[in-house]
Amino acid sequence: MPTTSPNDEPIHSPTKSVGLTVCSHTGVSVRPALPSGAASIANVHIRSWQWAYAGLMPASYLDNLAPSLERRTQRWLDRLSAPASNNPTVTLVPELDNEVVAFASLDPPRDKIFTTAEMELTSLYLHLHAAGQGIGRALMDVIKNEIRHLGMHHATLWVLDTNERARRFYEREGWRVTKDVKVETVGTMDLREANTKGTENLSTEEARCEAGAAPASRRISS
Ligand SMILES: CC(C)(COP(=O)(O)OP(=O)(O)OC[C@H]1O[C@@H](n2cnc3c(N)ncnc32)[C@H](O)[C@@H]1OP(=O)(O)O)[C@@H](O)C(=O)NCCC(=O)NCCS
């Protein structure tokens, strides 16, 4: 879930990945994350929590995320290096001068209230200096296309109910808040999360992104 702590998130193995995809309305290319990007992804995850949740979570908790970088990097490395299997998980990054400034991940839903016919957007995190440039939208477009390619038309995510910036973003992207709420314990905090669920728009917007000429793994060196 997007509110999953950089310390606590379960990480699945990847099996399905998109090639290089260009979102024409933003000009941002998106590609599958590579193992060499594990440390950058872990760093973005931590940094993104620190700016997004400032004022929403205790500063002491956010400050103490930094030491988890090494452990987080290893977990992302494990995920991104794992051989393909039938587990349809995806991790995407924008293609910006080989610097990883954001990432998104898609996994089978972790909560039993959701069906196996939908996917969960488990992460969508931008570094502060990447915000406001269409990168979130580009990642979201490719995520939606991936869900369609998996033969699904529904997806879900959890967003912290006080994360108003992200909630507005999801609303603009067509996600709708449902009545489902859960309280997640992160460290010593009880975080109230509102479940926001994607609906019919997943079946109608594919034209916003175009597949690139070659798989990203053959074009990107890091
Ligand atoms: C939510 C997020 C993915 C949106 O991506 P994006 O590409 O920045 O999307 P947008 O350009 O539409 O900007 C979203 C909002 O952030 C604001 N924003 C842009 N740059 C900003 C900055 N440097 N500092 C603070 N807010 C900024 C925009 O003004 C917009 O606000 P609005 O809703 O009032 O219009 C991104 O802001 C992000 O990663 N946030 C931190 C992590 C997070 O909350 N992830 C979701 C977890 S559920």
Side-chain angles (χ1 to χ4, degrees):
M1 68 183 176
T3 51
T4 300
S5 162
N7 287 330
D8 302 329
E9 176 185 343
I11 295 180
H12 304 278
S13 298
T15 59
K16 179 180 178 70
S17 63
V18 293
L20 187 69
T21 304
V22 180
C23 288
S24 52
H25 65 288
T26 63
V28 176
S29 298
V30 172
R31 63 169 170 87
L34 300 174
S36 56
S40 298
I41 290 173
N43 182 56
V44 169
H45 199 176
I46 291 169
R47 298 283 184 182
S48 185
W49 263 63
Q50 289 174 331
W51 77 267
Y53 301 137
L56 307 182
M57 295 182 188
S60 57
Y61 176 80
L62 297 174
D63 290 345
N64 284 333
L65 290 175
S68 68
L69 179 63
E70 192 175 337
R71 177 168 52 83
R72 297 293 309 166
T73 297
Q74 186 59 53
R75 296 183 68 194
W76 281 105
L77 190 59
D78 292 345
R79 170 174 172 138
L80 297 172
S81 305
S85 70
N86 289 327
N87 184 3
T89 69
V90 174
T91 306
L92 300 171
V93 295
E95 176 73 326
L96 295 169
D97 299 327
N98 281 341
E99 181 193 7
V100 175
V101 293
F103 70 98
S105 39
L106 194 61
D107 295 88
R110 291 167 295 173
D111 295 283
K112 291 197 174 118
I113 59 171
F114 304 120
T115 72
T116 53
E118 58 190 348
M119 293 291 282
E120 181 177 351
L121 176 61
T122 46
S123 307
L124 178 58
Y125 290 107
L126 273 58
H127 198 291
L128 175 57
H129 70 67
Q133 300 171 35
I135 294 171
R137 191 176 187 196
L139 285 167
M140 182 64 82
D141 284 346
V142 182
I143 283 286
K144 288 178 180 177
N145 285 345
E146 280 296 291
I147 295 167
R148 292 186 199 94
H149 292 157
L150 290 165
M152 300 175 187
H153 299 286
H154 296 278
T156 192
L157 61 82
W158 293 101
V159 58
L160 194 66
D161 64 357
T162 52
N163 189 355
E164 294 179 2
R165 182 191 300 108
R167 291 183 62 159
R168 284 194 300 273
F169 172 81
Y170 291 133
E171 282 282 323
R172 285 197 295 270
E173 289 297 312
W175 299 71
R176 295 294 174 257
V177 174
T178 71
K179 287 183 282 189
D180 296 315
V181 172
K182 71 174 181 180
V183 176
E184 181 107 342
T185 301
V186 176
T188 58
M189 299 176 293
D190 284 337
L191 301 177
R192 184 178 169 84
E193 297 178 299
N195 176 32
T196 304
K197 192 170 185 178
T199 52
E200 294 77 11
N201 62 339
L202 290 175
S203 62
T204 58
E205 294 182 0
E206 187 149 12
R208 287 194 350 187
C209 287
E210 302 164 356
S217 57
R218 276 186 249 141
R219 298 179 54 170
I220 311 301
S221 58
S222 65

